[in-house]
Amino acid sequence: MQSLGRASPLRRDPAPSRWAYRMQRLWLTPLFRVTMRVGLPAFIVTLAVGIYLSDQARRDAFGQNFVEIKVKVEQRPEFLVGLLSIDGASPELADAVRAKLALALPQSSFDLDLDAVQAKAEQLDAVASAKVKVRTGGVLQVTITERVPAYVWRTDTGLILVDATGHRVAGLADRADRADLPLIAGDSADTSVPEAAALLQAAGPLTPRLRGLVRISERRWNMVLDRNQTILLPAENPVEALEGLLALNQAEDLLARDLTSIDMRNEHRPVLRLAPFALEELRRAQGIAPTESKT
Amino acid sequence: MTDLYQSQRTMRNMRRAALQRGVIAILDVGTSKIACLILRFDGVEDTRETDGVGSMAGQSNFRVIGAATTKSRGVRFGEITVMNETERAIRTAVQAAQKMANVRVDHVIACFSGAEPRSYGLAGEWDLQDSVVTEQDVARVLANCDLPDIGEGREVVHAQPVNFALDHRTGLGDPRGQIGNRLACDLHLLSVEAAVVQNLLYCIKRCDLELAGIASSAYVSGISSLVEDEQELGAACIDMGGGSTGISIFMKKHMIFADSVRLGGDHVSSDISKGLQVPLAVAERIKTKHGGVHATGMDDREMIEIGGDSGDWDKDRRQISRTELIGIMRPRVEEILEDVRARLDAAGFDHLPSQQIVLTGGASQIPGLDGLASRILGQRVRMGRPLRVQGLPQAATGPAFSSTVGLCLFAAHPQDEWWDFDIPAERYPARSLKRAFKWFKDNW
């Protein structure tokens, strides 16, 4: 009788096959392991992406898709700027800025070049500086600091308002419109506005009589008073010369006399030019001229 | 001779490469089991002060990181008889050990128990040229040892310088730098059957492994199971394996004799199998569970179920007493021990100052063996277990693994062998250049 216990006389061989043994040894090699676990997946991914992108049409479609998604996001209402708000400017200037910027609103805030907007706004003469930012609610906020006109500059072509730094602010039709501002004249008077300011400061008691300052030869100032009196100031140290004249005036009451000009250019020797009548009177008093010649 | 000499040098280089990589495998090809350990070396340790010509092959600390044992197949008397089967068994063991260690090993140091080892004592002399012993002088005195006729088809596995003598002073460990006129040396040489080694090399090569060293298992089990003073004072280690019993005699920390008896535990099992008419596997199981060599009155009453798979009720219900089993086992064990005694007598073991005998190996675990052995071999017999090494699994610490553990120690601290020393300069082609250089130096 055959025993039932020995149903499987063939025992399995526990030894690994030659190939299994070799594969296990290969798998235990560190370099091979790293290659298979890191290098191979990386290679496959790179290869797949490379094959996919090797076709020009696919590459284009991919770029197209990307652009579409980008545009879609940019055009969302959350990012749209629909309103331009200008602060800190007079209504006329605000209109001028608005016209200058010429923004096609509504526009996506991604498309707005805020630096360009700022530069454009600052191109206007009347604008000292501009701050631009996009506020919540789709508002483009432009905060403007205006130039304050300080002088009226008379040129050959007309009257110009300039600010304290000599920068043009606006044109002026009539002097009487801004009678409160001092008048300057002469070529490139605007470039030496700070000097003019110092002179006006120093003019003191002469201020009521002052008509304006004239830049001569782009080098020195003449101060023009009423009654056609002119004070010629030197190119160097005009303020000191003016102060000297004022002292002289206080002592001698010089300017009340019948003079047409006082030349202060030589600091040691002021030169007076008398009006013709006064000159004649002086000569007569000195006995130089005939008292009653040619009657 | 020169071929093997060269290949031994190559193996040393291989071992150095393995130490540099830090991982080496240990393969013990036995008759009943094949054990594979994987060692990780923690780095080269400072050379410890030792007797002998220092360690030239380098020393290292190690740790066992992988261990596997498999039933041996195709091996009889410690010799490979069926190459395919053995190769598969080696593959099983190596793969399991690699899996446990999770590291790939390329270098293996192997030991085998069979191949009829024969040991020879060699002596050489050399007159020193300038009275100080240099490494070249050591190399020359080793080269001057005249090789006995070791027989056709035999090769040298171990050739260890055991003793150096300078003039009248003997027992020098390291003669280098000493002053004298005449240097003499004693060399212990162990030769084995070349064909057996070739088979083993072939099997290992078929497993994609490189051999980094080869050792006789009698020698390595002596290294692991003899304690230091036994090695120093003289002792014999009897490694009772499955198919063969190895004998090695140590003195002054050197092996001075090795031999093997082609009988082992498997013969006891086959006796039981034949005597009781049971399969070999059952015989093996009965031997390990109930075996012994001393019968007492108690053993008459202890009945052992032999069983059987025949389907015949009478045959399957057989019982024997333990006394009967012992009656079968004892004559064979006695035969083995008497054979060992004869080998020891032939080697002149009884002239040694210390008569210590250490029994180890798987077959030495038979209960009562020490009593029997002390009757046959002499009074000073003890059972030996291998040294503890770091990381060794509990299952591999028994006496059956003494040669495996010894091979670990051999891998870590190999004794200097002939091929570790310099080649004598006159056999060296580079010498002519040196001589030309010397001539220039002398004449200008």
Side-chain angles (χ1 to χ4, degrees), chain B residues 31 76-79 113-116 238-247 259-271 274 287 330-343 360-364:
Chain B
T31 315
R76 295 185 63 204
F77 305 119
E79 296 160 9
S113 55
E116 295 182 26
I238 315 292
D239 178 10
M240 302 177 72
S244 66
T245 299
I247 304 158
D259 203 342
S260 87
V261 176
R262 288 160 78 81
L263 284 170
D266 282 358
H267 296 89
V268 180
S269 296
S270 78
D271 282 352
K274 285 170 189 164
K287 180 185 83 173
R330 180 164 174 140
R332 181 61 87 171
V333 177
E334 278 179 348
E335 186 195 352
I336 295 172
L337 292 175
E338 269 159 14
D339 237 342
V340 168
R341 176 79 253 170
R343 300 293 170 105
T360 185
S364 73

Side-chain angles (χ1 to χ4, degrees), chain A residues 12-288:
Chain A
R12 205 185 64 82
D13 185 6
S17 73
R18 226 170 137 68
W19 278 107
Y21 174 76
R22 279 194 184 154
M23 285 329 280
Q24 196 225 14
R25 281 171 64 77
L26 188 64
W27 183 241
L28 285 174
T29 312
L31 186 66
F32 181 80
R33 247 182 129 109
V34 169
T35 311
M36 292 307 274
R37 294 171 82 172
V38 180
L40 193 68
F43 175 73
I44 287 173
V45 167
T46 315
L47 190 74
V49 170
I51 287 174
Y52 180 76
L53 290 182
S54 63
D55 189 7
Q56 180 67 42
R58 283 205 198 114
R59 246 188 342 247
D60 290 347
F62 190 76
Q64 193 82 36
N65 265 348
F66 180 74
V67 168
E68 266 171 28
I69 289 170
K70 190 176 161 217
V71 167
K72 216 176 265 177
V73 169
E74 281 176 1
Q75 295 300 331
R76 286 191 67 79
E78 288 85 352
F79 296 120
L80 275 188
V81 173
L83 207 64
L84 174 65
S85 156
I86 296 174
D87 279 0
S90 58
E92 300 83 31
L93 182 59
D95 285 343
V97 169
R98 211 176 282 275
K100 179 80 179 174
L101 294 183
L103 287 174
L105 296 175
Q107 197 175 4
S108 168
S109 61
F110 287 101
D111 298 338
L112 278 177
D113 184 357
L114 295 185
D115 288 337
V117 168
Q118 185 185 7
K120 226 171 182 182
E122 285 178 352
Q123 274 174 8
L124 283 174
D125 287 331
V127 177
S129 69
K131 275 189 226 157
V132 181
K133 68 173 183 180
V134 176
R135 253 180 22 201
T136 51
V139 177
L140 180 65
Q141 172 83 43
V142 182
T143 309
I144 281 175
T145 313
E146 277 194 66
R147 287 190 196 282
V148 183
Y151 301 95
V152 178
W153 181 26
R154 189 189 293 279
T155 62
D156 295 341
T157 50
L159 292 168
I160 297 172
L161 288 172
V162 297
D163 71 350
T165 61
H167 195 279
R168 182 185 187 278
V169 177
L172 190 65
D174 192 2
R175 168 77 176 107
D177 288 349
R178 296 305 299 262
D180 54 324
L181 296 180
L183 183 74
I184 56 176
D187 288 345
S188 64
D190 55 339
T191 55
S192 37
V193 161
E195 211 175 309
L199 286 175
L200 290 172
Q201 185 94 40
L206 293 182
T207 312
R209 291 192 54 200
L210 190 68
R211 299 251 322 259
L213 291 167
V214 181
R215 187 80 173 161
I216 306 293
S217 308
E218 303 183 8
R219 168 170 79 81
R220 63 178 194 85
W221 287 102
N222 271 7
M223 189 176 267
V224 179
L225 305 180
D226 55 357
R227 293 200 280 113
N228 278 337
Q229 279 184 343
T230 311
I231 302 167
L232 285 72
L233 294 169
E236 267 91 52
N237 298 332
V239 176
E240 280 76 5
L242 184 61
E243 278 167 355
L245 173 68
L246 287 177
L248 208 58
N249 183 33
Q250 204 165 10
E252 308 273 344
D253 200 12
L254 198 61
L255 290 170
R257 296 168 194 252
D258 195 6
L259 305 170
T260 55
S261 68
I262 304 169
D263 188 350
M264 299 297 292
R265 285 178 293 178
N266 188 336
E267 55 181 324
H268 304 297
R269 189 166 59 91
V271 177
L272 310 181
R273 181 183 293 168
L274 300 185
F277 176 74
L279 184 64
E280 212 162 299
E281 285 299 304
L282 179 63
R283 282 188 179 154
R284 189 168 342 131
Q286 288 172 338
I288 298 168

